[in-house]
Amino acid sequence: MLFIGTSGVLGRYVPLPAPVAIWWRAVIAVVLLYAYCSYRGMSFRMASRKQLLMVLLSGALMAGHWVTYFFALKLSSVAVGMLAIFTYPAMTTLLEPIVFRQHFVGRHLLLAALVVAGVYFLAPSFDLQEGGQWSVLLSGCSPHSFTLFAT
């Protein structure tokens, strides 16, 4: 929780380019996860080619999530980046019925629309020459890739 809670501030104020910051964040995560899994005796062997492809796809989606999120933080304020990224529950509400072939729930659609309206009002301006709008657009891409990863 400490890493998730501080990701906005660190992503904005650490004087590293976004790809470099993400690279080091991933390296630290791999080392810590490897140490934990080794300590617990967990295997890293993939059962099938399909499982390997799913792991690679998940990694690509998480990479897309983090890259767009950190670029959004560099372009605008932490508040704009954090609020826009946490629209992923609304994205999940829209994607889950399609993926799992279920019916849309009216109140979920209404809540998703309210979230999108909130992000619309959150945008500092609608001039693409300014960083705030690009931040909201990139922060909008981030929850899409996270939702695909989680679904």
Side-chain angles (χ1 to χ4, degrees):
M1 289 309 299
L2 177 68
F3 290 123
I4 291 172
T6 59
S7 67
V9 174
L10 292 175
R12 173 76 171 134
Y13 295 111
V14 169
L16 291 173
V20 175
I22 294 162
W23 170 258
W24 283 109
R25 184 181 175 105
V27 167
I28 292 168
V30 165
V31 168
L32 291 175
L33 284 172
Y34 180 80
Y36 175 77
C37 291
S38 295
Y39 173 76
R40 299 286 299 201
M42 296 177 181
S43 173
F44 292 98
R45 175 161 280 152
M46 297 291 159
S48 67
R49 191 173 187 89
K50 181 180 177 185
Q51 188 179 29
L52 176 63
L53 289 173
M54 291 303 291
V55 168
L56 292 175
L57 177 63
S58 295
L61 288 170
M62 282 305 289
H65 164 69
W66 283 111
V67 167
T68 55
Y69 176 54
F70 271 63
F71 271 115
L73 289 171
K74 294 289 185 187
L75 291 173
S76 187
S77 68
V78 174
V80 170
M82 293 291 284
L83 288 173
I85 193 175
F86 286 109
T87 61
Y88 75 87
M91 306 302 168
T92 303
T93 296
L94 299 173
L95 188 63
E96 258 185 356
I98 296 168
V99 171
F100 296 117
R101 296 187 174 111
Q102 299 172 345
H103 295 287
F104 285 97
V105 178
R107 71 174 178 265
H108 292 170
L109 292 175
L110 175 64
L111 292 171
L114 288 172
V115 168
V116 172
V119 172
Y120 173 80
F121 289 119
L122 174 85
S125 72
F126 291 97
D127 182 9
L128 291 180
Q129 299 300 326
E130 296 180 25
Q133 186 62 27
W134 281 111
S135 174
V136 172
L137 290 172
L138 285 171
S139 294
C141 293
S142 183
H144 284 297
S145 61
F146 186 76
T147 298
L148 289 172
F149 164 77
T151 306

